[in-house]
Amino acid sequence: MNYSDLLSKKVRYIGIAIASIVVLFIICCLSLALGARKLPLATVWNALFAPQHVSALEASIVQSRIPRTIFGVLAGGALGVSGALMQVVTRNPIADPSILGVNTGASLFVVIGLAWFQISSAQQYIWLAILGAGITSILVYGIAMIGRGGATPLKLVLSGAAASTALGSLLSTILLPSDSHILDQFRFWQVGSIGGATWDSIRLISPFFLVGLFIAIVIAPQLNILTLGDEMATSLGVNTQRTRLLAAAAAVLLCGATTALAGPIGFVGLMVPHLVKMLFGAELKIALPFSAISGACLLLFSDIIGRLIGFPGETEVGIITAFLGVPVFIAVIRKSKVNAV
Amino acid sequence: MNLFHNNKLFHGYQKRQFRWLSICIVLSLLVIILMSASMLIGNTYYSPSTIFRVLCGEQISGATFAILTLRLPRTLAGFFCGAAFGLAGYIFQSLLRNPLASPDIIGVSSATSTAAVFCTLILGFTGNTVSIISVLSGILVAILIYLLSYSKGSFSQGKMILIGIGIQAITRALTNYMLTKAAEFDVQSTMRWLNGSLNSIKLGDITVLAVIVFGIGALLLFFSSSLEIIRLGEEKALTLGINLKLFYSLSIVCAVILVAFSTAISGPIASVAFLSGPIATRLCGHNRCGLLPSALVGAVLVLSSDLIGQNLFPVRYPVGVITGILGAPYLIYLLIKMNQKGRRT
């Protein structure tokens, strides 16, 4: 590659980068404007920067949508990066916390905390969910690794399904005898929604988001080499075990924290890496930060659709992402070379 | 009958027939024992003679209610739902020649239960309307999964299973969504139902299920030889003169009807369809048709899990929770075995 090629590539990246940030900004504005009561964008602008020009009602509507929007950006970013990391670590195009049963594991631990230990602080939820997600990931990956061929897509998904069934049954054994109050809490949490986000949720998720993203970006060069294969990576001086472990830990931190606060939101982590790969190629140093941006766009976009479809109430974002994500999932499978079991 | 002059072959044939017959008898006995146990045991123990007298129509205060409206429907539902799931699982697994291709893994069961939840929670339907709508949606989803697994003119089972799991994710999302929209007092019963439960089943509901299980069971047994031939592979079945397309669509429709009607009554009892066929095949070996043993194994699984869930724990668990916990280790075992055989996955 000569210099002018590199330069044009760089220009292209910068172009797409600016474009994606602009898109994110527009989606954020839309997220502030749309909902049960629709406001014109000018009003949103005024509410933010010139509060004297808007009515108190309009100002308070916009104010109440701010935490939801910021939380959506963080949660979407976390899910996007976590999906990208999972797909690299498992070398698998369909890795996603909902398909692999990791969300069920996180749910199980949160419910155990709710029902048996009467935990109530969100901080405790988060750690329980992260613990559950971590244990389940190890379990699912471990089962899929057994035998020849390592963790192929089909084996991973099937062991995810098995883990999901088992953990789901365990979850029922805890949930059903408990009082209807917990059941009621659970059914709303289980769908996956960012509607209840507050400034507190933002405060809670931010450190996890930052740490996860930081780890991801720091190990991006090693992860890049890892995609060439373990042998190649080892001979190039990469500690494959440590890199993998760090990446997996970051992925679990990111998706566990999000799941604890917003409930299991599936398929964002599945869709984002494919989207990013289409736009930016497979270079992870660039792809990982943009996974965060596109994850944020995707989640907020789904949330807005949910608000519009469910009018005058709203449809939870987890439903919308499932409906957007499953066609992508099916398309990826149809394209891939999965042989008979 | 040249074949039978060969003594060794004939001997082996006899041995296999004997094994099949004895396994069926043992399973039937087991079903009878479990059914009686589920009639006898409960909050209060009733002696066999009391139960017999109540069943003959005698009025005994307390016992009549407990036996006729609580235990008898429960026992019968356990038997018929178990048998229906067992049959359906065996058909799917035989036609697709894959132990993983049972309706509860490839998303057909969850489609029927989503339809049922929609009918009961949102539309407020009851009874057979629910079952019929579930059947239709189950068949539609089965067709959809089948069509989606064709790409570039070739069909892949691996793809079908993965796509089925994807479809399942959508139907689950829909169910969860409907749960959030439901009134709070409906949620507990719906959650129980979604786990697969034999509670609050009325005797009237079971009549239809019984007719369907017996009717479709008889139909399937009539075609069982074709089903066994298909297990050998499509090419062989084709050369032996089986109309594959007709037979496939007919049996899948039968299986979906079985799943949908039993799901409408008991909810999706996890893993029964998935477990019954392989257990039956393991017990009988590959010889005569596995339909009857699979149905019996299904009934044994449901009845025994229900007994365990109702009586062994301080809290009563719906039957599906127990079967779900049973099913997962088996799936893992299957994965491990599949890997050891070194088949391509």
Side-chain angles (χ1 to χ4, degrees), chain A residues 38 48 84 151 312 319 331:
Chain A
K38 297 181 186 64
L48 289 179
I319 317 267

Side-chain angles (χ1 to χ4, degrees), chain A residues 244-307:
Chain A
R244 235 168 239 234
L245 203 67
L246 273 174
V252 166
L253 269 183
L254 289 167
C255 98
T258 316
T259 306
L261 292 171
I265 299 176
F267 295 99
V268 174
L270 181 93
M271 286 184 278
V272 164
H274 293 283
L275 188 76
V276 169
K277 206 176 258 178
M278 263 186 326
L279 291 174
F280 299 97
E283 164 65 45
L284 285 167
K285 259 182 282 182
I286 295 161
L288 281 171
F290 282 102
S291 298
I293 295 179
S294 12
C297 290
L298 192 63
L299 191 72
L300 271 186
F301 177 67
S302 315
D303 190 44
I304 295 170
I305 293 181
R307 285 186 241 166

Side-chain angles (χ1 to χ4, degrees), chain B residues 157-233:
Chain B
Q157 284 183 7
K159 278 183 188 169
M160 192 191 68
I161 293 167
L162 289 175
I163 287 171
I165 289 174
I167 299 277
Q168 202 164 26
I170 278 202
T171 53
R172 284 228 180 102
L174 275 176
T175 313
N176 286 341
Y177 175 63
M178 288 187 281
L179 276 180
T180 61
K181 297 294 169 212
E184 195 182 337
F185 58 86
D186 277 343
V187 172
Q188 189 127 19
S189 63
T190 312
M191 288 278 268
R192 264 184 185 275
W193 180 86
L194 276 174
N195 274 301
S197 147
L198 299 178
N199 282 351
S200 60
I201 290 169
K202 288 177 208 70
L203 212 49
D205 299 337
I206 296 171
T207 345
V208 181
L209 182 65
V211 170
I212 282 172
V213 169
F214 279 124
I216 290 186
L219 185 73
L220 288 170
L221 280 180
F222 184 71
F223 285 113
S224 58
S225 54
S226 313
L227 195 64
E228 292 312 296
I229 291 172
I230 282 184
R231 281 172 83 96
L232 299 173

Side-chain angles (χ1 to χ4, degrees), chain B residues 22-219:
Chain B
S22 44
I23 292 284
C24 280
I25 291 171
V26 170
L27 283 173
S28 314
L29 284 176
L30 207 57
V31 167
I32 292 170
I33 293 171
L34 285 168
M35 284 177 85
S36 338
S38 133
M39 292 296 285
L40 296 171
I41 307 169
N43 259 344
T44 39
Y45 171 83
Y46 292 112
S47 68
S49 66
T50 325
I51 288 170
F52 189 71
R53 270 160 56 205
V54 168
L55 288 182
C56 289
E58 202 173 316
Q59 291 288 332
I60 303 171
S61 69
T64 304
F65 174 77
I67 290 170
L68 281 189
T69 48
L70 296 179
R71 288 191 196 172
L72 185 64
R74 176 173 214 107
T75 311
L76 290 177
F79 174 72
F80 286 117
C81 290
F85 283 126
L87 283 173
Y90 183 75
I91 293 167
F92 266 89
Q93 287 160 339
S94 311
L95 288 184
L96 302 167
R97 284 183 302 283
N98 192 327
L100 290 166
S102 92
D104 39 4
I105 292 195
I106 63 168
V108 176
S109 298
S110 68
T112 60
S113 52
T114 303
V117 170
F118 179 67
C119 290
T120 46
L121 272 188
I122 311 285
L123 302 178
F125 291 167
T126 47
N128 290 328
T129 334
V130 178
S131 315
I132 289 163
I133 295 176
S134 314
V135 170
L136 290 179
S137 53
I139 292 172
L140 276 180
V141 166
I143 293 172
L144 182 72
I145 294 172
Y146 183 70
L147 289 179
L148 282 174
S149 352
Y150 263 103
S151 59
K152 298 181 202 106
S154 71
F155 174 77
S156 141
Q157 284 183 7
K159 278 183 188 169
M160 192 191 68
I161 293 167
L162 289 175
I163 287 171
I165 289 174
I167 299 277
Q168 202 164 26
I170 278 202
T171 53
R172 284 228 180 102
L174 275 176
T175 313
N176 286 341
Y177 175 63
M178 288 187 281
L179 276 180
T180 61
K181 297 294 169 212
E184 195 182 337
F185 58 86
D186 277 343
V187 172
Q188 189 127 19
S189 63
T190 312
M191 288 278 268
R192 264 184 185 275
W193 180 86
L194 276 174
N195 274 301
S197 147
L198 299 178
N199 282 351
S200 60
I201 290 169
K202 288 177 208 70
L203 212 49
D205 299 337
I206 296 171
T207 345
V208 181
L209 182 65
V211 170
I212 282 172
V213 169
F214 279 124
I216 290 186
L219 185 73

Side-chain angles (χ1 to χ4, degrees), chain A residues 90-148:
Chain A
T90 59
R91 232 180 280 150
N92 195 322
I94 48 177
D96 176 80
S98 62
I99 291 280
L100 296 188
V102 174
N103 278 340
T104 322
S107 309
L108 176 68
F109 272 62
V110 171
V111 168
I112 288 178
L114 272 178
W116 290 352
F117 301 108
Q118 279 86 37
I119 60 156
S120 50
S121 92
Q123 191 75 44
Q124 289 165 316
Y125 279 170
I126 295 188
W127 284 111
L128 276 177
I130 289 173
L131 188 67
I135 292 175
T136 317
S137 316
I138 294 169
L139 186 78
V140 168
Y141 195 66
I143 294 167
M145 277 295 287
I146 299 169
R148 280 189 215 173

Side-chain angles (χ1 to χ4, degrees), chain A residues 146 154-155 157-158 162 166 169 172-173 176-177 184 187-188 190-191 314 319 326 329 333-334 336 338 340-341, chain B residues 100 148 150 156 159 162 170 173 176-177 179-182 184 187 195 315 317-318 321 324 328 331 338-339 344-345:
Chain A
I146 299 169
L154 187 64
K155 273 157 70 182
V157 171
L158 282 172
S169 297
S172 302
T173 57
L176 287 173
D184 207 44
R187 72 171 161 149
F188 288 108
Q190 186 191 24
V191 210
E314 40 185 75
I319 317 267
V326 168
F329 175 75
I333 289 167
R334 279 171 62 86
S336 70
V338 179
V341 187
Chain B
L100 290 166
L148 282 174
Y150 263 103
S156 141
K159 278 183 188 169
L162 289 175
I170 278 202
N176 286 341
Y177 175 63
L179 276 180
T180 61
K181 297 294 169 212
E184 195 182 337
V187 172
N195 274 301
V315 195
Y317 288 118
V321 170
L331 184 53
M338 219 157 65
N339 292 337
R344 282 189 304 172
T345 45

